[in-house]
Amino acid sequence: MIDTDGDRAEWNFPAEANAVRTARHAVRETLRAWKLDSELGDLTVLLVSELVTNSLRYASGPIGVRLVRPDRDRADPSRPPGLLVEVSDPLPDPPTERAPGPEDEGGRGLGLVACSARRWGTRKGSQGKTVWFELALPGE
């Protein structure tokens, strides 16, 4: 189970070309408000862009993005809190990691998530799936 006590922000974007840009802006502004932009902003925005782009490529319904910053007071002391990021879409099929060739224009998103995040995974929802990742908070 993923702990979601703490600050959260969530959005739903239509599956349209400007969803990636709008999601990047919303995530950056939220991280700025939470004073996490300088350390986590660029990486979080890059990974959200990759996952929203994947959703746009393969799904035809709304795309959900959610950020959760756990409450440090309630965090498990054995595991430092991290920034949880989720991208959901109505397509039930889990994403597939692949090894793109040097000339391929796509196929690197999940690899970026896998090598950048502290943890990541997918889960089925009542309608579709969620790809999530966790980044260590500054000082952790």
Side-chain angles (χ1 to χ4, degrees):
M1 181 171 161
I2 298 172
D3 183 9
T4 57
D5 288 334
D7 292 329
R8 12 188 119 126
E10 55 189 293
W11 308 269
N12 284 304
F13 304 103
E16 298 172 354
N18 67 345
V20 177
R21 183 181 73 238
T22 307
R24 281 194 307 251
H25 178 74
V27 167
R28 174 123 10 236
E29 289 303 309
T30 299
L31 293 176
R32 187 172 287 132
W34 290 350
K35 304 203 182 329
L36 294 173
D37 184 52
S38 63
E39 280 116 8
L40 293 178
D42 291 340
L43 178 59
T44 307
V45 167
L46 171 66
L47 299 180
V48 166
S49 294
E50 292 293 331
L51 295 179
V52 171
T53 298
N54 284 351
S55 291
L56 276 174
R57 180 171 289 151
Y58 300 108
S60 60
I63 300 164
V65 175
R66 183 166 90 133
L67 303 179
V68 179
R69 181 177 65 172
D71 188 357
R72 287 182 187 263
D73 295 339
R74 303 185 88 183
D76 177 354
S78 67
R79 197 181 103 236
L83 175 70
L84 174 66
V85 181
E86 300 176 330
V87 176
S88 304
D89 63 51
L91 188 67
D93 303 326
T96 320
E97 269 190 274
R98 64 183 181 103
E103 300 299 317
D104 291 344
E105 291 186 18
R108 291 174 179 77
L110 286 178
L112 283 170
V113 171
C115 73
S116 302
R118 177 166 64 185
R119 305 183 308 143
W120 78 280
T122 62
R123 68 177 181 274
K124 285 190 173 226
S126 59
Q127 296 179 0
K129 68 164 171 321
T130 298
V131 179
W132 61 269
F133 63 88
E134 184 181 79
L135 299 173
L137 290 172
E140 300 301 326

